[in-house]
Amino acid sequence: MQEAVIPSAGQTTVPIPATAPAVEAIIRAEKIEKYYAQPSQNRILVISATDLSIVPGEIVALLGPSGCGKSTMLRMLSGLSTPTAGQVYWHEKPIASAEINVSIVFQSFALFPWLTVLDNVEAPLQARGVPADVRRDRSMKILDTVGLDGFEAAYPKELSGGMKQRVGFARALVVEPEVLFMDEPFSALDVLTAENLRSELLELWANKTIPTKSIFLVTHNIEEAVLLADRIIVLGKNPGHIRTDFKVQLSQPRDRTAAPFIELVDYIYKVLTKPDEVPAEAPEQQAEPKPRDQRQHYQMLPHSRPGGIAGLLELLLDKGGRDDIYRMADNLSFEIDDLLPIVDAAQLLGFLNVEEGDAVITASGTEFANSEILRQKELFRDAAVAHVLLLRQIRLALEAKSDHTVPEEFFIDMLNEQFSEEECERQIETAVTWGRYAELFDYDAGHRRFVLPDAQDEEVAASEDAE
Amino acid sequence: MKPPHTLAQTRVPAQTWSILIDLAVILCGLAFFLGIIKLGTYWMARPMPAIVISHSVRALPLYAFYSVARIAIAYLFSLIFAVSYGYIAAYNRRVEAWMIAVLDILQSIPVLSFLPGVMLAMMALIPSHQLGIELGSILLIFTGQVWNMAFSFYSSLKSIPREMIEASRIYRYSAWQRFWQLELPFSAIGLIWNSIVSVAGGWFFLIVCEMFAFRGTNFRLPGLGSYLQTAASANPVDTHALLWGLTVLILIIVATDQLIWRPLIAWSDKFKFEQTESATRVTSPILSLLQRPNALTHLPARVWGGMEEHIYHRLSQTRECRIVQPIDDTIGKRGKLLPLMLAAFAAPAILWSLFQAYLLLRGTSWAEIRLLLLGAGATYLRVNASIAIAALWTIPVGVTIGSNPRLARYLQPITQVVASVPATALFPVLMLGLIRIGGGLGVGSIALMLMGTQWYILFNVIAGAMAIPSDLKEVATVYHFTRWQRWTRLILPGIFPYLVTGMITASGGAWNASIVSEYFHIGDRTLQTLGLGAQISAASDSGNISSLLLATILMASIVVTMNRLVWRRLYRLAETRYKLEG
C-alpha cells in the first residue's frame, strides 16, 4: 500500500509507507548519502539522502539499472563503507562502533585460490578466535549443508562456478550471520546452476536450517528478484534514490508462468525502463489461496451413528435449541461417555456448538432437525463432505477413478500415520456407516473396497459421456 | 578425520624414501648451523681490511661460502625491507606518492659509486670487528637488490581484487591474518621472480664490492669476487685460478637455480590468481621430494600450529576483529602523523647534507665540469648503443623461442641460469680476449655492458612472444600476412610492453655496468676510456671525493631524467595502446 504524494520538482519517487514497523529493524539507514570526491574538488553525489530498514524475517531485493549505486548501498548498509552524511544503525546503535554480524556473498566468489575449500570456510572463524577443533566441526557441517561434502581438501581452481559459489555461501553462513548480504551472487553462473542454487537457498531459508534473520539481495535480474524476495526496492540513478518499495505477497514456491508473477515482472520492467516517470502503484496481489494441504490431520471420527445425531438434534430443538450436556445425559439416562461422542459428531458436522458446557444448536442443525428423511440425508452429505476430510477424500477418489472403486487399504495406509491399527479399523467402520447413510459411497465388505452407490454410478457415467 | 585424497594431493607421486629425505634434511640443517657458527667467529674477529687473497684452489670453498653468506644475508634484509616499504607505501595514501618517487630515484642511482663511502663509514662505525667491513658490503648489495622487490610488492598490493579485500574486511580479518592469507600469497609470484632478478644483481655487485681501491689502499674481503679479481690482476694473469673460480661460481648459480628457484617457482603455482588450471606448469623434482611427508613438514606444522592458534585467539579480542573496519576510512587515520614525523626528521638531515655537499663542491673548476659532461655524453651514447645492439639480436631470437613452446621449455631454464651468472665475473676473461684482439675499451665497454644487460631484454621478449594470443596468430596465417606484415603488425606491437620493460631494466643495468666496464685493472695495467663511469671509478681510486660526488650526482640525474622523459612515456604507451587485454 503506497500513498501517492505530489513529488517535489526533480524527484521521481513514491515515498515509502510511513507505517512504523512492528518489529525492530536489524539495520536502519537514516538519510544516508554518498559523495565521491574528485581531484578537481568536485563532489559527485552517488546516493542521495535515503532511508532504508532491514527487518527480520524477510528477503529484500534491491533492483536497479547499472550504475545506480546498488553496490554502494549494500556496502554502506553492511558497514564496509562510511556514508558521507547520515547514519546507519545496527539494532539502534551506530554501525561504526557496533559489533555487527553480517556476511556477504560476492559476484566473483572472492575465494582465496591458495587456500583449500576448508581453509577458505574456516578463515572467518579463525578471525573470531574459535579454537581449531570447533572450527573444523562447524566448517564441515556447513559444507555438508551446502552440498560440498567430500570437497574439503580441494582448491578453488578445481571447482566449477556453481561449486565455488557454494563455498562462498558456506563461508558466509559458517559465522551464522544475522543479515546475509548478496551482491549479484548468481550472475556469474550459468542459468541452470543459478536456478539450482536459488532453490537451495530458498529451502535453507524456509526450513530455517540457517539462523539468518534476514537476507538482502542486490540484483539486476527482475525475475530473480520476484522469485526470491518478500520485498522489492527499485533504485533509480543520478543520483541513487529509492523509486519504489513494495511487498511481494505471492506464496512460495512461485510459479514463473503464473499470471500474478508475470504481472509483477512487467510492472517492475516498466518502472525500470521509464526512469523519469513516477512509478505507478504496485499491482494488487491476491494472496493465492493456499493449495489444500494434503497432509492435513485427519479428524478423529467420533464413533456414533447418524441416527443418534438426528435424535440428539431433535431433542435439542425441543428444548429450545440449548441445553446443558450433563442435564441431557441425566434426563435420558445416558452415561455421559455415551452421549459425548454423539455431541462431538454433531459438532464436527457443524450442527451444534458447545459453549460453556451447553450444547447450542446451529442454523444448519435446526434445518437438519426440521427436515424429513431424504432432506436430512442431503444435509448430512453436504456437511460430511465439507467438514470430514476422510469422507471427502473417499468420495473424490471414487469419482476420479474410471471404475469408481477404491480398495480400503489405500485409506488405511494414510490413517495409519495418525492412528493405531485398531483405531484405524474403527475409523473406517464409522466412515462406512456415515458414508452409506449419506449415500456418499458404498462398501463392498467381501472385496474390502469402496464403491460408488449404483444410482450415482450411472449418473456419473452419464455426465462423463456427455463431456 | 583425515580428508580423502583429492586431485590436489594425488599429483605428488607416492614413494617410500622418506628416511633418506629426513636424513638429507637433517644434514642440511646441521650444515646450516655449522655455517652460522663459522660466520659468527669470522665476523667477530679483528678487522682485516686488506686480507691477502690466496690463489690456491683449496681456498675456494671457504671463499665461496663467505660470498654466498653475504648474498643470502643481504637478500634477507632486502626482503624484509621491501615488504615493509611496500606495505607502508600501499596503505598510506599521504606518503604513497613520496615513497614511490624516492623508490624511483634510489633505483636509478648507481650503487657502485657509493662503494668507498659506505665501506669507510661502516668501518668507522664498527672499528673493532670484521663485522664492520662485512656490513659495508652487505649494505651495498642490499641497495642493489631491494628496490625492485619493494616495487613489486607495492604494485601487487595495489592490484589485489577489490572483492577479496572486502571479504577480508567483512569477516573481520586482523592485519596479521590479512597479511599471511591475502597480501603475501597474492604478491608471492611477483616477489619470487623479482628475488631471482635481485639475487642475480646481487652477485653482480658482490664481485665488484669484495675488492676495490681507495686512495691508493686496497680493500679486500675474502670471497669469490676478490678471488677472481686477484687472479685477473695478477701478473701474469693466473688463468688457472680464474677458470676454477668461474667454474665454482657457475656451479653455485646452477645449484641455486635447481635447489631454490625452481622449487619455489613450481610451488608458487599455488598462488597464481587464475580461476582455472593452466596447461604449462614448471615442475621441480626437488619440490615433489620436499612435499612428501617428512620431518620438515611435520615439525613446523605442530610448532607453528600451536603458536598460531594462540595468536589468533589474542587477536580476536582486538577492535579490528570485533568491528567491521570500513575500507575508505584507513587513509585518513594513518596519513596525518607519519608524513609530519618524516618531514621533521628528514628536513634537518637534508639541509645538513646539502650544506656539506656545497662545501665539498665549492672548489670544482669549470674544466672539471666540462670533462664530466663530455664523459656523460660518451657513456650515454654507449648505453644506448648497447641497448640497440642487444635489441637487434634478442628480438629475433626471443620471438623464435617464445613462439615455439617446446623450444621455450628447454631453453628458458638455461637462459635463466646463464643470465644469473654475473657479467662482472666474466669481465676479466673478456678483457683478456679484448686485449688479445687489440681493441680499445671504448668499444670493449659496450661489449661488457651488453653482457650484463642483454638478458633482461631477451627474457622479456620471450615472455612477450609467449603471451601473444594464438587467435591473433591465426589471423596472420589465414590472411596470408607477408613476413614484413607479420612483424610490423603483429609481433612487434604484441611484444612492445614487454620490450619496454626489458629495456628500462637494461638501461639501468648498463649505467651501473659502465662504472666497472669503462675503467679496469688488469695485470698491472689500468685500462680506461672517456666516460662518466670511468670518471667515477678513477675518482674513487684516487680518493677525489668532490669529483666522485659530482659525477655521481650527474649520473643519477641523467638516469632519472631519462626515466621520466623517455621510459615513462613509452611505458604509458605500452599500457594504453599496446596492451593486449582490455
Side-chain angles (χ1 to χ4, degrees):
Chain A
M1 287 176 296
Q2 287 148 18
E3 305 153 356
V5 162
I6 302 169
S8 46
Q11 269 200 321
T12 50
T13 60
V14 176
I16 299 111
T19 50
V23 201
E24 178 200 65
I26 306 179
I27 295 182
R28 186 170 65 85
E30 196 177 275
K31 297 209 188 335
I32 52 174
E33 286 178 16
K34 187 72 178 171
Y35 282 94
Y36 278 136
Q38 293 275 64
S40 58
Q41 288 304 330
N42 267 339
R43 294 202 305 173
I44 297 187
L45 183 60
V46 177
I47 307 254
S48 63
T50 305
D51 292 326
L52 213 162
S53 298
I54 300 180
V55 297
E58 56 176 24
I59 303 182
V60 184
L62 190 63
L63 267 176
S66 59
C68 66
K70 318 190 279 286
S71 295
T72 315
M73 186 73 91
L74 184 146
R75 272 139 187 93
M76 283 199 284
L77 288 172
S78 57
L80 270 184
S81 178
T82 327
T84 334
Q87 182 71 269
V88 179
Y89 295 99
W90 169 267
H91 289 296
E92 298 312 315
K93 283 204 292 253
I95 205 170
S97 52
E99 295 189 20
I100 70 176
N101 190 3
V102 302
S103 291
I104 303 186
V105 178
F106 295 95
Q107 181 180 9
S108 66
F109 325 128
L111 299 181
F112 292 13
W114 41 83
L115 296 178
T116 59
V117 163
L118 189 63
D119 288 333
N120 264 295
V121 176
E122 278 189 5
L125 294 177
Q126 238 181 345
R128 277 153 218 240
V130 176
D133 42 359
V134 179
R135 247 185 6 231
R136 190 150 205 195
D137 274 342
R138 277 172 71 170
S139 310
M140 298 288 272
K141 245 192 324 173
I142 199 75
L143 278 175
D144 198 17
T145 310
V146 300
L148 283 178
D149 195 20
F151 286 94
E152 306 87 37
Y155 283 91
K157 266 205 268 263
E158 306 167 37
L159 304 177
S160 69
M163 287 159 78
K164 278 193 264 222
Q165 193 59 297
R166 279 173 207 265
V167 181
F169 271 106
R171 179 177 64 178
L173 296 172
V174 80
V175 294
E176 297 178 353
E178 247 185 273
V179 181
L180 177 66
F181 287 94
M182 304 202 281
D183 190 359
E184 305 201 25
F186 307 117
S187 46
L189 305 172
D190 62 88
V191 174
L192 290 177
T193 316
E195 238 352 270
N196 241 348
L197 283 184
R198 263 186 227 121
S199 42
E200 285 185 31
L201 177 68
L202 277 176
E203 236 181 74
L204 291 177
W205 170 257
N207 296 336
K208 299 218 192 315
T209 318
I210 48 178
T212 305
K213 299 223 185 77
S214 170
I215 297 183
F216 189 87
L217 165 71
V218 165
T219 178
H220 59 255
N221 183 341
I222 305 179
E223 268 197 18
E224 180 174 290
V226 179
L227 263 174
L228 294 175
D230 299 315
R231 181 170 147 217
I232 295 184
I233 304 176
V234 179
L235 227 53
K237 67 180 190 178
N238 289 332
H241 61 281
I242 295 185
R243 295 184 60 205
T244 171
D245 176 351
F246 57 89
K247 287 209 187 318
V248 179
Q249 273 146 352
L250 309 169
S251 54
Q252 293 284 2
R254 293 180 186 162
D255 181 8
R256 268 209 184 86
T257 55
F261 190 99
I262 297 179
E263 203 185 338
L264 205 50
V265 171
D266 272 342
Y267 164 70
I268 299 175
Y269 185 76
K270 283 204 193 62
V271 170
L272 281 175
T273 49
K274 298 204 168 71
D276 302 318
E277 278 182 21
V278 178
E281 281 193 28
E284 267 296 315
Q285 297 160 42
Q286 296 280 6
E288 279 171 7
K290 275 204 175 318
R292 290 255 174 79
D293 189 356
Q294 300 300 344
R295 293 180 58 74
Q296 248 178 26
H297 280 326
Y298 285 103
Q299 306 97 329
M300 184 145 162
L301 287 180
H303 302 295
S304 70
R305 310 183 73 83
I309 301 170
L312 177 66
L313 288 170
E314 282 174 28
L315 275 166
L316 207 50
L317 199 57
D318 218 27
K319 293 280 178 176
R322 189 185 186 113
D323 198 7
D324 181 74
I325 300 177
Y326 279 84
R327 196 138 34 104
M328 259 204 306
D330 251 356
N331 289 343
L332 295 171
S333 289
F334 266 51
E335 288 285 338
I336 191 69
D337 284 338
D338 293 333
L339 186 63
L340 280 179
I342 311 178
V343 174
D344 284 341
Q347 187 180 32
L348 177 63
L349 291 166
F351 291 145
L352 60 76
N353 286 324
V354 177
E355 288 168 21
E356 291 159 11
D358 283 355
V360 182
I361 202 168
T362 62
S364 52
T366 315
E367 202 192 331
F368 185 86
N370 283 330
S371 317
E372 39 87 29
I373 286 270
L374 284 176
R375 181 80 184 118
Q376 272 187 350
K377 284 198 182 212
E378 261 182 52
L379 290 170
F380 192 93
R381 180 160 63 240
D382 292 337
V385 166
H387 292 118
V388 183
L389 179 62
L390 181 58
L391 295 174
R392 187 166 63 235
Q393 278 187 346
I394 296 175
R395 176 72 189 193
L396 286 174
L398 286 171
E399 282 175 2
K401 267 197 85 183
S402 50
D403 59 353
H404 304 303
T405 78
V406 177
E408 160 193 79
E409 296 250 312
F410 184 66
F411 296 100
I412 292 190
D413 237 348
M414 293 201 273
L415 285 170
N416 249 324
E417 292 184 17
Q418 266 178 255
F419 305 115
S420 63
E421 287 251 350
E422 207 188 298
E423 185 56 44
C424 275
E425 291 274 331
R426 298 184 65 197
Q427 290 285 309
I428 294 278
E429 248 184 71
T430 312
V432 165
T433 315
W434 288 25
R436 276 181 177 150
Y437 172 79
E439 288 171 15
L440 273 173
F441 51 79
D442 207 347
Y443 180 67
D444 182 350
H447 295 110
R448 302 185 82 83
R449 299 179 78 89
F450 293 107
V451 294
L452 268 186
D454 293 325
Q456 288 174 19
D457 209 12
E458 288 160 14
E459 247 179 61
V460 173
S463 64
E464 273 174 12
D465 283 339
E467 278 165 14
Chain B
M1 196 184 70
K2 204 161 160 298
H5 270 257
T6 61
L7 196 61
Q9 286 170 317
T10 51
R11 284 225 186 80
V12 179
Q15 278 190 15
T16 50
W17 286 356
S18 48
I19 304 249
L20 281 174
I21 303 176
D22 282 345
L23 265 167
V25 167
I26 293 175
L27 280 173
C28 281
L30 216 59
F32 186 66
F33 185 61
L34 284 172
I36 296 203
I37 294 186
K38 175 89 186 158
L39 209 57
T41 41
Y42 168 58
W43 280 2
M44 286 299 140
R46 281 188 54 242
M48 289 180 289
I51 201 170
V52 175
I53 305 287
S54 126
H55 281 226
S56 92
V57 178
R58 251 173 298 152
L60 261 180
L62 189 62
Y63 287 167
F65 168 67
Y66 286 144
S67 295
V68 171
R70 279 178 209 121
I71 296 229
I73 295 171
Y75 172 71
L76 266 157
F77 281 169
S78 318
L79 189 60
I80 297 174
F81 184 88
V83 166
S84 322
Y85 195 89
Y87 195 87
I88 296 176
Y91 286 129
N92 290 284
R93 207 162 285 179
R94 295 273 172 105
V95 277
E96 189 180 333
W98 285 106
M99 285 180 91
I100 299 304
V102 164
L103 199 104
D104 220 6
I105 294 178
L106 287 175
Q107 209 170 8
S108 325
I109 291 183
V111 173
L112 291 175
S113 43
F114 289 94
L115 183 52
V118 171
M119 280 303 205
L120 291 173
M122 281 292 138
M123 285 201 289
L125 206 62
I126 310 181
S128 51
H129 294 293
Q130 180 71 8
L131 187 58
I133 313 175
E134 292 288 338
L135 267 182
S137 70
I138 290 178
L139 192 59
L140 280 163
I141 302 173
F142 164 88
T143 43
Q145 287 182 326
V146 71
W147 309 117
N148 62 325
M149 291 204 287
F151 193 74
S152 153
F153 191 65
Y154 162 79
S155 58
S156 297
L157 283 182
K158 306 266 337 174
S159 40
I160 296 182
R162 206 199 155 98
E163 292 198 333
M164 289 176 76
I165 300 181
E166 285 172 354
S168 72
R169 293 262 175 191
I170 201 77
Y171 295 123
R172 305 188 231 140
Y173 285 16
S174 51
W176 172 267
Q177 187 173 8
R178 207 167 41 244
F179 180 76
W180 289 106
Q181 286 190 2
L182 176 60
E183 289 158 356
L184 196 58
F186 190 80
S187 333
I189 295 186
L191 271 179
I192 292 177
W193 283 100
N194 275 284
S195 298
I196 300 181
V197 171
S198 284
V199 169
W203 277 109
F204 185 94
F205 291 121
L206 178 90
I207 306 277
V208 180
C209 288
E210 282 182 346
M211 181 164 137
F212 65 98
F214 187 68
R215 283 210 184 124
T217 32
N218 273 322
F219 290 91
R220 285 190 291 271
L221 286 167
L224 216 40
S226 48
Y227 184 86
L228 287 169
Q229 284 201 54
T230 318
S233 50
N235 195 13
V237 176
D238 190 348
T239 39
H240 178 76
L242 205 57
L243 282 171
W244 268 108
L246 276 176
T247 318
V248 169
L249 181 61
I250 294 179
L251 275 174
I252 295 180
I253 292 188
V254 171
T256 321
D257 184 68
Q258 288 298 309
L259 293 177
I260 302 184
W261 297 136
R262 287 207 57 182
L264 268 179
I265 294 175
W267 179 66
S268 75
D269 223 34
K270 178 161 126 144
F271 302 113
K272 221 187 260 194
F273 197 72
E274 272 172 2
Q275 298 295 349
T276 51
E277 291 287 340
S278 66
T280 54
R281 291 171 72 240
V282 173
T283 54
S284 162
I286 306 282
L287 183 67
S288 335
L289 223 64
L290 284 174
Q291 272 177 338
R292 272 182 240 140
N294 57 32
L296 196 63
T297 53
H298 282 317
L299 197 62
R302 226 171 298 168
V303 169
W304 186 238
M307 267 187 352
E308 212 182 23
E309 288 302 311
H310 190 69
I311 295 175
Y312 277 115
H313 190 72
R314 293 292 288 274
L315 282 170
S316 66
Q317 315 291 341
T318 61
R319 189 194 157 88
E320 205 180 5
C321 286
R322 285 187 294 134
I323 298 181
V324 171
Q325 306 288 327
I327 292 185
D328 32 32
D329 249 12
T330 46
I331 319 134
K333 272 187 214 145
R334 281 191 224 162
K336 293 210 175 82
L337 189 56
L338 211 56
L340 286 176
M341 267 170 39
L342 285 174
F345 279 131
I350 293 180
L351 286 173
W352 183 83
S353 31
L354 279 176
F355 182 63
Q356 291 291 325
Y358 166 68
L359 286 177
L360 209 58
L361 296 173
R362 235 181 350 181
T364 26
S365 62
W366 275 114
E368 257 186 83
I369 297 183
R370 214 164 45 102
L371 200 61
L372 280 175
L373 286 173
L374 270 177
T379 311
Y380 180 80
L381 286 172
R382 283 195 203 105
V383 166
N384 286 350
S386 73
I387 295 185
I389 299 175
L392 218 60
W393 80 264
T394 51
I395 293 183
V397 173
V399 168
T400 319
I401 297 181
S403 319
N404 189 338
R406 209 151 10 117
L407 209 59
R409 211 151 20 104
Y410 291 138
L411 287 182
Q412 214 179 12
I414 299 180
T415 28
Q416 222 169 292
V417 175
V418 171
S420 299
V421 176
T424 37
L426 302 170
F427 275 4
V429 178
L430 250 153
M431 286 316 300
L432 288 171
L434 222 66
I435 295 174
R436 278 304 149 74
I437 302 178
L441 206 50
V443 174
S445 61
I446 299 184
L448 292 170
M449 278 185 210
L450 257 180
M451 275 193 53
T453 58
Q454 62 199 354
W455 308 112
Y456 294 126
I457 307 186
L458 182 65
F459 269 159
N460 278 284
V461 170
I462 295 180
M466 282 179 21
I468 297 181
S470 45
D471 37 10
L472 291 186
K473 291 191 209 160
E474 282 168 14
V475 167
T477 318
V478 164
Y479 290 110
H480 301 298
F481 276 19
T482 62
R483 177 161 285 184
W484 176 253
Q485 269 178 312
R486 249 189 123 88
W487 275 88
T488 51
R489 293 295 157 100
L490 173 65
I491 298 180
L492 285 177
I495 60 174
F496 187 72
Y498 295 84
L499 193 57
V500 171
T501 314
M503 282 183 165
I504 294 178
T505 326
S507 155
W511 279 100
N512 250 316
S514 72
I515 298 181
V516 281
S517 58
E518 290 176 348
Y519 184 93
F520 216 77
H521 289 294
I522 191 149
D524 59 349
R525 294 187 282 164
T526 307
L527 295 166
Q528 72 171 27
T529 175
L530 172 68
L532 200 50
Q535 284 158 343
I536 290 181
S537 298
S540 153
D541 244 8
S542 60
N544 187 348
I545 299 205
S546 57
S547 225
L548 184 60
L549 184 61
L550 208 53
T552 309
I553 294 176
L554 191 56
M555 185 179 276
S557 328
I558 296 179
V559 176
V560 173
T561 320
M562 277 285 284
N563 262 349
R564 300 261 149 187
L565 286 182
V566 180
W567 298 122
R568 222 19 107 66
R569 296 246 174 93
L570 279 178
Y571 200 70
R572 189 152 316 148
L573 191 65
E575 289 264 286
T576 47
R577 183 164 161 200
Y578 290 101
K579 195 163 184 195
L580 271 170
E581 333 90 47

